């Protein structure tokens, strides 16, 4: 592979470039640019076609244009209403014009007299003179901090470029787009030919340009059109590295995997269950409802995989209320019926308690073989462990897990502490995975390997437990592939029969809010329940707790006077939380004023009203989860979203919530609104993994990247035949991940 590699470029400091001394290097460092590699992957965010640049003298009023002009005078003043106004007089050598900025006082500092800048905007006439109002500005040659570059050779050269790349300049670091561009250009010229780790055959097949061309054209395209294939290639590389890491991780897990071969068969999901012999069949036979087709399919897939020779790594996706819990319980019982144990891990104490009670109710009456007992059976044992479990209880529970008398354990992170040992951990279910890290997953796996039965060289010595991850709300396909690409997917795409849809109302006005409270009152009169969720207050959890407490008082004195109100927030001791949930469940306090602790998993079928205060502050996934707390029976239900939705995004979220209740559709809207930045975890060290690639727009590239990653690693799980690719990948991995993927 001839040419320079990215790791090589990453070892060349920016100080090797012309004109980058200590001061500039420090400024670049503040932008995260330390090496030539960093510089070359700092992409322009826009291009200016200078062939469309016009001379002021030629422009007619009303023309939209790009003007390269020098500031000759600056005046800052205030309007009659006290709003800042900055006025510039600029001249481009052919004619002059005025530039006016409203409410942008900082422009006076950005554009002192002598600055050369590009102004994009529409040319108007004001009192006989040409004028641009609030144009877009790019400083080309600054005054002061950027002085040194003003007449550099590079700067001169760039004036001949037709398409001018515009980089995010940093006033704080004192760097102009112009300077960055000059260094990029020098770096490209001096780097010469770049190594291309993507095999030629794949490159051709996917119609991608080579890397040298791509890096050149993304920075210095000959035309605006030439930038597109360059971007495409570089976006592919980003997605490809991500998929490679994920596929390699899966292969590494499979490589030294010893699966527990569970004693379950796919047919057990199908029935008829009457008089069934296995634990799973008895469980399914006892359910008060028929499974949905989607639940049955999911179980069949899970059972087949659990019985198979490879450890299961699956992501179970389903909309709120699609019945993921039943699927998870069936899988846990499939582990138990073979003599193993199951663990269900959840992110919060409230949810752990919820799940614990729900599971206990679901498996009530089931028993497992116990030769030591009269009748040869004992009741199935489910235990709860959280950080609040008392020392004595914890001790007892740990003994039970270690001896195997506890079959299923539900818990929070507290499950991961060292004193928790299993007799034979066969399946780990992780609910609401978005709050769990990869490390924690590995920790749990290791608990399986260290099981007592394993240490005793039992039948599944050192085996890895199977893993089932469940997401709280659906995530878009592309995001799932980017984040959970090391997991296989199974989707519950069907809701149980007989659910009446939740009527969602965005109550932006005072009157609309009054109607929401009236609904709460009338539903309570009918014997139903209502949630009132208070906004998330930024900052401390204590402030949040206070705000629900205040709201409780306000409601008790006002709109909900005479109704018994309960309180639930994360700061309460767990016994009080449990009590609050119990009193809500049995109707003693039919209204629960809560923080988002009720967001996940709470299952009270009589709840028919969800009021979300200041709903604009919540994200779509949260709102969808909150709405999912009602409409869990055949009773008609309502969700009221209070507040005006101050920002455009907030308004768009609330409007989407009213428009649809399909979690998969909302997930797409969410991705659209938030962008993908927040979707990927902090897997890669410092470097953000998707800069050019977009999970929204580049779904096809993502599929292609996945396909190539699978193909290249199929017979080569540590990329021995593609050392260039492996080296490049290392550049993006943190040390733990690197050690895991490339342990040799
Ligand atoms: P989620 O997928 O949001 O976690 P849950 O597993 O909490 O949903 O299930 C929501 C509710 O639906 C629970 O009360 C559960 O008992 C019920 N449920 C699950 N499966 C079915 C089904 N096939 N038919 C009817 N109700 C079901
Ligand atoms: Mg759930």
């Amino acid at each position: 592979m001839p040419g320079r590699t990215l790791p090589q470029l990453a070892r060349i400091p920016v100080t090797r470039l012309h004109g980058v001394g200590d001061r500039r290097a420090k400024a670049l460092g503040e932008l995260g640019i330390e090496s030539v590699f960093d510089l070359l992957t700092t992409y322009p965010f826009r291009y200016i076609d200078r062939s469309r640049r016009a001379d002021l003298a030629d422009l007619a009023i009303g023309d939209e244009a790009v003007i390269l002009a020098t500031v000759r005078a600056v005046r800052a003043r205030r309007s009659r209403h006290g709003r800042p106004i900055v006025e510039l007089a600029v001249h481009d050598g052919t004619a002059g014009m005025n530039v006016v900025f409203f409410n942008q006082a900082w422009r006076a500092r950005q554009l002192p007299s002598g600055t050369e800048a590009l102004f994009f905007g529409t040319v108007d006439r004001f009192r006989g003179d040409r004028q641009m109002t609030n144009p877009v500005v790019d400083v080309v040659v600054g005054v002061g901090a950027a002085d040194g570059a003003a007449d550099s050779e590079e700067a001169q050269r760039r004036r001949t470029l037709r398409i001018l790349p515009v980089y995010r300049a940093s006033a704080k670091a004192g760097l102009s787009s112009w300077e960055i561009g000059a260094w990029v250009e020098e770096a490209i010229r001096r780097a010469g030919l770049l190594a291309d780790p993507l095999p030629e055959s794949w490159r051709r097949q996917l119609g991608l340009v080579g890397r040298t061309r791509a890096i050149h054209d993304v920075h210095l395209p000959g035309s605006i059109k030439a930038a597109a294939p360059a971007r495409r290639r570089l976006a592919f590389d980003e997605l490809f590295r991500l998929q490679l890491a994920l596929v390699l991780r899966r292969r590494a897990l499979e490589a030294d995997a010893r699966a527990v071969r569970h004693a379950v068969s796919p047919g057990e999901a199908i029935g008829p269950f009457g008089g069934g012999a296995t634990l799973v069949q008895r469980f399914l036979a006892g359910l008060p409802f028929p499974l949905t087709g989607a639940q049955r399919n999911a179980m069949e897939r899970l059972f087949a995989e659990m019985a198979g020779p490879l450890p299961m790594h699956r992501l179970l996706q389903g909309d709120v209320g699609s019945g993921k819990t039943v699927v998870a319980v069936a899988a846990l019982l499939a582990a138990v019926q073979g003599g193993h144990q199951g663990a269900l891990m959840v992110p919060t104490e409230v949810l752990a308690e919820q799940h614990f009670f729900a599971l206990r109710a679901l498996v009530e009456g089931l028993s497992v073989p116990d030769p030591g007992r009269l009748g040869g059976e004992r009741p199935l044992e489910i235990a709860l462990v959280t950080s609040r479990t008392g020392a004595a209880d914890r001790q007892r529970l740990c003994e039970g897990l270690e001896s195997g008398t506890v079959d299923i354990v539900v818990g929070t992170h507290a499950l991961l502490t060292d004193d928790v040992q299993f007799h034979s951990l066969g399946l780990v279910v992780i609910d609401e995975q978005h709050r769990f890290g990869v490390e924690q997953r590995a920790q749990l796996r290791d608990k399986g390997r260290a099981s007592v039965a394993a240490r005793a060289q039992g039948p599944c010595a050192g085996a890895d437990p199977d893993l089932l991850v469940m997401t709280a709300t659906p995530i878009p396909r592309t995001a799932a592939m980017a984040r959970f690409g090391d997991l296989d997917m199974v989707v519950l795409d069907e809701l149980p029969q007989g659910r009446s849809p939740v009527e969602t109302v965005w109550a932006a006005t005072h009157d609309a809010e009054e109607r929401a409270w009236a609904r709460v009152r009338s539903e309570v009169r009918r014997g139903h329940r209502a949630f009132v969720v208070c906004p998330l207050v930024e900052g401390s959890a204590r402030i949040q707790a206070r705000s629900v407490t205040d709201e409780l008082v306000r409601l008790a004195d006002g709109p909900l006077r005479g109704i018994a109100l309960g309180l639930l927030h994360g700061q309460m001791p767990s016994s009080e939380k449990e009590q609050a949930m119990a009193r809500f469940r049995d109707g003693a306090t039919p209204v629960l004023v809560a923080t988002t602790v009720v967001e996940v998993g709470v299952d009270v079928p009589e709840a028919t009203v969800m009021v979300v205060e200041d709903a604009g502050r919540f994200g779509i996934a949260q709102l969808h989860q909150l709405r999912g707390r009602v409409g869990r029976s055949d009773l008609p239900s309502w969700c009221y979203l209070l507040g005006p939705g101050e920002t455009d995004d907030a308004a768009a979220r609330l409007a989407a919530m009213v428009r649809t209740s399909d979690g998969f559709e909302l997930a797409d809207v969410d991705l659209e609104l938030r962008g993908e930045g927040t979707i990927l975890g902090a897997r890669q060290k410092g470097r953000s993994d998707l800069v050019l690639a977009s999970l929204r727009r580049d779904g096809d590239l993502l599929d292609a990247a996945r396909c190539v990653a699978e193909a290249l690693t199929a017979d080569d799980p540590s990329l021995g035949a593609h050392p260039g690719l492996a080296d490049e990948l290392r550049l993006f991995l943190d040390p733990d991940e690197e050690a895991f993927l490339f342990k040799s």
Side-chain angles (χ1 to χ4, degrees):
M1 202 170 54
R4 280 181 207 257
T5 66
L6 298 190
Q8 281 167 352
L9 294 176
R11 286 192 290 269
I12 306 176
V14 282
T15 46
R16 296 269 292 278
L17 295 167
H18 187 75
V20 182
D22 285 351
R23 197 164 59 88
R24 291 287 154 70
K26 188 157 168 284
L28 283 167
E30 278 172 34
L31 299 180
I33 302 173
E34 289 173 356
S35 69
V36 167
F37 162 77
D38 296 333
L39 187 65
L40 291 181
T41 49
T42 300
Y43 303 113
F45 69 99
R46 154 164 94 221
Y47 305 99
I48 299 167
D49 186 343
R50 308 224 307 177
S51 64
R52 281 186 42 221
R53 200 194 94 207
D55 288 337
L56 261 174
D58 299 339
L59 284 177
I61 300 306
D63 282 353
E64 198 182 59
V66 182
I67 308 291
L68 177 63
T70 305
V71 178
R72 292 204 168 158
V74 185
R75 189 160 81 105
R77 61 183 179 92
R78 292 197 171 263
S79 73
R80 258 177 299 150
H81 307 291
R83 301 194 313 167
I85 297 176
V86 174
E87 291 169 317
L88 310 177
V90 306
H91 202 283
D92 76 344
T94 65
M97 75 171 171
N98 297 322
V99 175
V100 182
F101 298 99
F102 292 101
N103 285 327
Q104 304 178 31
W106 54 277
R107 293 288 192 187
R109 291 187 303 279
Q110 184 203 24
L111 299 164
S113 189
T115 310
E116 194 179 354
L118 286 155
F119 300 87
F120 311 75
T122 306
V123 182
D124 287 328
R125 188 175 291 281
F126 184 71
R127 293 192 183 144
D129 291 330
R130 291 189 186 83
Q131 175 168 309
M132 268 190 193
T133 306
N134 290 338
V136 174
V137 178
D138 281 303
V139 174
V140 173
V141 181
V143 173
D147 217 6
D151 289 301
S152 75
E153 210 176 299
E154 298 293 339
Q156 300 286 346
R157 260 170 53 75
R158 293 176 64 78
R159 285 176 216 224
T160 65
L161 289 178
R162 188 163 87 85
I163 307 294
L164 193 67
V166 183
Y167 299 87
R168 241 171 247 302
S170 163
K172 194 169 128 260
L175 289 172
S176 68
S177 159
W178 193 250
E179 284 177 291
I180 295 172
W183 292 320
V184 166
E185 200 182 340
E186 184 195 344
I188 288 176
R189 193 159 35 81
R190 289 173 57 186
L193 187 68
L194 301 180
D196 195 337
L198 181 64
E200 177 73 17
S201 55
W202 278 110
R203 196 173 68 65
R204 272 180 212 284
Q205 191 173 328
L206 298 171
L208 295 171
V209 300
R211 181 172 275 168
T212 310
R213 158 112 274 147
I215 288 283
H216 181 274
D217 284 2
V218 82
H219 291 288
L220 302 164
S223 66
I224 295 279
K225 254 168 78 188
R231 191 203 78 88
R232 203 175 145 74
R233 166 61 204 266
L234 297 170
F236 173 85
D237 286 356
E238 291 173 3
L239 295 165
F240 181 46
R241 286 188 289 257
L242 191 67
Q243 288 304 311
L244 256 187
L246 291 165
V247 169
L248 284 174
R249 184 191 303 157
R250 207 191 60 216
R251 295 204 190 280
L253 283 169
E254 281 168 6
D256 67 354
R258 280 149 295 170
V260 179
R261 305 202 58 159
H262 290 278
V264 66
S265 70
E268 286 173 53
I270 299 171
F273 306 121
T278 71
L279 188 60
V280 167
Q281 285 175 322
R282 278 180 282 146
F283 165 66
L284 295 178
L287 288 176
F289 42 71
L291 294 178
T292 64
Q295 283 172 320
R296 209 164 24 212
N297 287 338
M299 285 182 202
E300 275 185 80
R301 304 254 301 265
L302 299 186
F303 292 166
E305 215 172 355
M306 289 175 71
L310 287 174
M312 173 169 82
H313 298 112
R314 253 188 205 278
L315 179 69
L316 175 62
Q317 277 215 73
D319 207 342
V320 176
S322 59
K324 294 183 286 286
T325 312
V326 169
V327 175
V329 170
L332 288 164
L333 294 176
V336 171
Q337 73 185 12
H340 302 287
Q341 292 158 300
L344 172 60
M345 229 164 104
V346 299
T348 67
E349 312 247 321
V350 171
L351 189 55
E353 282 152 17
Q354 280 285 321
H355 267 304
F356 172 67
F357 293 121
L359 256 62
R360 223 176 34 181
L362 276 169
V363 303
E364 208 189 311
L366 293 177
S367 54
V368 295
D370 183 356
R373 286 217 198 179
L374 201 62
E377 286 194 336
R378 63 166 173 83
L380 184 85
E381 184 72 25
I382 298 197
L384 172 69
V385 56
T386 70
S387 59
R388 316 222 183 197
T389 308
D393 284 347
R394 191 178 169 92
Q395 170 81 31
R396 196 155 359 98
L397 185 116
C398 286
E399 281 165 18
L401 284 173
E402 192 155 351
S403 67
T405 54
V406 171
D407 303 294
I408 295 174
V409 60
V410 180
T412 57
H413 293 70
L415 266 180
L416 294 177
T417 54
D418 283 339
D419 62 331
V420 181
Q421 294 291 332
F422 290 86
H423 180 71
S424 176
L425 181 59
L427 173 69
V428 176
V429 179
I430 299 183
D431 196 9
E432 329 294 10
Q433 140 81 21
H434 53 291
R435 301 179 200 185
F436 274 111
V438 171
E439 305 74 29
Q440 285 152 334
R441 259 162 64 186
Q443 260 176 301
L444 262 175
R445 187 200 58 192
D446 294 341
K447 285 213 176 289
R449 292 193 171 181
S451 285
V452 177
R455 278 185 269 139
Q457 295 299 307
C460 60
D464 300 341
D466 285 338
L467 177 68
L468 180 65
V469 174
M470 302 194 285
T471 59
T473 44
I475 49 182
R477 187 190 70 91
T478 52
M481 238 168 103
R483 242 185 86 197
F484 299 111
D486 54 339
L487 302 176
D488 299 310
M489 193 125 40
V490 57
V491 177
L492 295 184
D493 51 4
E494 185 184 351
L495 290 181
Q497 296 282 306
R499 295 272 168 82
S500 48
V502 180
E503 187 179 327
T504 303
V505 179
W506 176 6
T509 63
H510 181 73
D511 285 356
E513 185 176 331
E514 284 305 310
R515 285 193 291 276
W517 300 124
R519 177 73 67 191
V520 171
R521 292 191 297 266
S522 69
E523 281 300 292
V524 167
R525 270 199 303 277
R526 288 200 170 90
H528 303 154
R529 319 259 190 285
F531 295 98
V532 178
V533 173
C534 289
L536 195 123
V537 174
E538 302 285 345
S540 91
R542 221 164 284 131
I543 295 175
Q544 198 181 338
R546 204 174 59 215
S547 82
V548 269
T549 315
D550 292 351
E551 185 60 7
L552 183 83
V553 172
R554 189 187 76 84
L555 291 172
D557 275 350
L560 302 182
R561 194 191 320 245
I563 297 175
L565 307 181
L567 177 70
L568 183 68
H569 61 74
Q571 296 272 297
M572 287 161 49
S574 116
S575 59
E576 279 180 34
K577 276 193 262 185
E578 238 170 84
Q579 258 176 27
M581 275 314 296
R583 288 165 61 77
F584 180 64
R585 214 181 285 283
D586 66 23
T589 52
V591 174
L592 191 62
V593 181
T595 59
T596 46
V597 290
V598 302
E599 177 191 333
V600 276
V602 171
D603 190 17
V604 178
E606 296 84 3
T608 56
V609 190
M610 166 62 69
V611 180
V612 184
E613 301 209 28
D614 213 349
R617 288 187 180 234
F618 295 90
I620 282 188
Q622 269 184 316
L623 290 173
H624 185 55
Q625 264 297 329
L626 288 171
R627 177 167 60 185
R629 299 310 107 210
V630 298
R632 299 176 79 85
S633 65
D634 52 5
L635 299 170
S637 304
W638 294 265
C639 174
Y640 292 93
L641 306 171
L642 307 191
E646 282 90 353
T647 66
D648 287 354
D649 273 8
R653 288 196 293 271
L654 298 180
M657 286 292 296
V658 172
R659 190 171 66 239
T660 179
S661 56
D662 180 337
F664 289 90
E665 196 178 323
L666 286 170
D668 281 332
V669 174
D670 200 23
L671 183 59
E672 194 69 43
L673 286 176
R674 281 198 311 169
E676 39 272 334
T678 45
I679 291 198
L680 298 178
R683 194 189 345 271
Q684 274 77 4
K685 58 177 169 200
R687 305 183 205 289
S688 81
D689 28 25
L690 299 185
V691 179
L692 288 177
S694 152
L695 294 176
R696 281 166 291 164
R697 283 177 280 119
D698 298 322
D700 62 326
L701 280 182
L702 181 63
D703 290 335
R706 177 66 171 209
C707 166
V708 181
E710 295 273 9
L712 290 187
T713 58
D715 304 314
D716 185 12
S718 53
L719 288 175
H722 299 278
L725 215 44
D727 279 347
E728 181 168 321
L729 192 56
R730 283 195 174 92
L731 199 55
F732 292 84
L733 299 173
D734 64 34
D736 286 351
E737 179 105 20
E738 180 180 338
F740 182 69
L741 296 187
F742 296 109
K743 54 179 174 261
S744 44

